[in-house]
Amino acid sequence: MTSRLPAWIALAALALGAAAPARAGSESYRFDTVHSQVLFNITHDGYSRPWGRLHIARGWLRFDPDHWENSATELDIDLDSLDMGDADWNQAVLKPSLLDATGHRYAHFVSRSVERTDDSHGVIHGQLTLRGVTKAVDVPFQFNRLARTVYGLHTVAGFSATAALDRRDFGITAFANSIGDQVLVRMEIEAIRDDGAAPATASSSTQGSP
C-alpha cells in the first residue's frame, strides 16, 4: 500500500508553498479580469469629480522582478463595460461625441519601455489608442506583491497605477463648458502566471493586439 503523509505535514507543506516567493526571471502573466479594474474621473461642471469604471477585456504581462527593464505589457480595455452608476449616464458617455464605443469599442495600450524608479515604483512608457487616435502615455505604477495565492493555486503579481490624460488629445472635445479636459485614471491590477499568455518574442518594444 502506498504510504500517505499525515494531514498536518500536508497542511504545513501547503502553507510553506503558499509563502514561497515566485521564482525570478522574466515570466508571462495573463490579466485577472475579475480582480483588475480601471477607474477614471473627470470634473462635472466644477462641482465634483465623479468616478467611472471599466474592465480589461484581455491582455498579457511579461514581468521580471529583478530587471524591470525586461518587462512588457499589452492590453485592451472594453469601453462598452463602462459603469458610471446610472444606465442613462452610461449611454450618454458611450455616444460618438464622447467615448464612441460603437465605432471604437476597445482602448488599446502597449508598452514601449519600463523604467524602475525605486524598490517598488516605476513608470511604463507606452502608447494608448483611444477612438482611433494613438498617443504616447506615461503610466507611473507601484509593484505591490508577487507570490502564490493562499491555496497555492496560482502565482499572482499585483500592481497599482495612475495616469493623467487630456481628453482633447484623443479628439474628445464635446461639452467643453461642462466636462473638464483632464482625466485621472487609476488601475488596480492582478495578473496570473501563465506561460502561454505572452508572445514568445514579447519585449518592451512589443506591438500589435493581444
Side-chain angles (χ1 to χ4, degrees), residues 79-80 94-97 99-106 130-132:
L79 301 181
D80 200 48
L94 292 174
K95 287 182 177 180
S97 58
L99 289 183
D100 188 17
T102 300
H104 303 279
R105 177 167 176 174
Y106 298 99
L130 176 64
R131 287 171 44 101

Side-chain angles (χ1 to χ4, degrees), residues 184-208:
L184 174 65
V185 181
R186 180 177 177 86
M187 290 157 281
E188 294 297 331
I189 302 297
E190 292 188 24
I192 299 171
R193 169 78 187 280
D194 182 343
D195 291 339
T201 58
S203 68
S204 57
S205 61
T206 185
Q207 297 186 26

